[in-house]
Amino acid sequence: VGCVVWDAALVLAKFLETGACPLARRHVLELGAGTGAVGIMAATLGANVTVTDLEELQELLMVNIENNKHLVTGSLRAKVLKWGEDVTEFQPPPDYILMADCIYYEESLEPLLKTLKDLTGPDTCVLCCYEQRTMGKNPEIERKYFELLQRDFELEKIPLDRHDEEYRSEDIHILNIHRKQMVGPQ
């Protein structure tokens, strides 16, 4: 699954290109980067990007970084990050976390949510783009993910008319996700 540029990655990359989020000199982390397409786009827009995925995808990420380095105006590096594990080396919290089509294995939901909680600060903006799939267990997995996510995060759907004019689809959604602000004594 990590060696394909999924439609959601194209939609998110082209959304970044619209300039809706100021990325220049921002610290950006891509989770489940796969080919790195989204992170590479962010780096061409001036962000300092770390694309992350499992060990077995590092070689592909390195090749893609190398092949696109002439386009990068920020910085770009690849690192191993396994969801649910220690994120100390990725601190302080990034300005942006990018995720394209990361919700498909039920087993990975809890580790992914733990990683999101561990990585985000109060000002981190998480952009999550996913294709709504109606087959098999997909709807159930999506529903569970968003239910769990909303315990700690607030979600706002970015309207379709703000997506790239050409690279958009009714069944591909982009969510702007922020940590809930804690109120009162902890």
Side-chain angles (χ1 to χ4, degrees):
V1 290
C3 300
V4 177
V5 179
W6 297 98
D7 290 349
L10 292 175
V11 168
L12 184 52
K14 293 302 265 184
F15 172 72
L16 295 178
E17 204 179 29
T18 67
C21 305
L23 291 176
R25 292 180 298 287
R26 296 291 200 276
H27 175 41
V28 174
L29 194 63
E30 186 183 1
L31 297 181
T35 62
V38 177
I40 291 167
M41 173 65 89
T44 68
L45 297 167
N48 297 315
V49 182
T50 304
V51 288
T52 67
D53 211 314
L54 299 171
E55 183 66 62
E56 54 266 31
L57 285 156
Q58 294 300 305
E59 203 176 322
L60 176 66
L61 283 169
M62 299 295 195
V63 168
N64 291 343
I65 287 171
E66 182 60 30
N67 289 341
N68 290 283
K69 68 171 191 242
H70 60 289
L71 300 169
V72 172
T73 60
S75 65
L76 184 57
R77 62 182 184 158
K79 295 200 102 162
V80 176
L81 174 55
K82 193 165 184 231
W83 298 342
E85 296 188 356
D86 182 56
V87 297
T88 313
E89 67 167 311
F90 299 99
Q91 298 297 348
D95 300 306
Y96 290 93
I97 293 176
L98 306 175
M99 298 165 55
D101 257 347
C102 287
I103 319 157
Y104 44 86
Y105 292 132
E106 196 159 9
E107 310 74 59
S108 68
L109 295 186
E110 299 272 0
L112 174 57
L113 288 161
K114 179 186 183 330
T115 294
L116 275 178
K117 270 196 284 194
D118 292 348
L119 285 171
T120 49
D123 302 321
T124 305
C125 168
V126 181
L127 291 173
C128 170
C129 185
Y130 71 100
E131 185 169 347
Q132 205 167 3
R133 296 185 167 89
T134 52
M135 304 296 288
K137 291 188 74 170
N138 284 307
E140 191 189 318
I141 291 169
E142 267 167 39
R143 187 190 54 73
K144 185 176 172 189
Y145 173 73
F146 290 116
E147 197 177 286
L148 292 170
L149 191 66
Q150 286 179 69
R151 289 181 190 167
D152 299 283
F153 294 90
E154 296 185 22
L155 321 172
E156 175 204 349
K157 193 169 164 186
I158 294 174
L160 198 61
D161 62 17
R162 288 184 44 210
H163 295 205
D164 178 88
E165 280 178 31
E166 205 177 325
Y167 291 83
R168 61 165 69 166
S169 166
E170 292 287 344
D171 55 1
I172 296 181
H173 308 286
I174 304 175
L175 298 175
N176 188 339
I177 302 171
H178 281 273
R179 282 301 285 265
K180 281 186 178 168
Q181 300 304 322
M182 300 303 172
V183 184
Q186 297 303 311

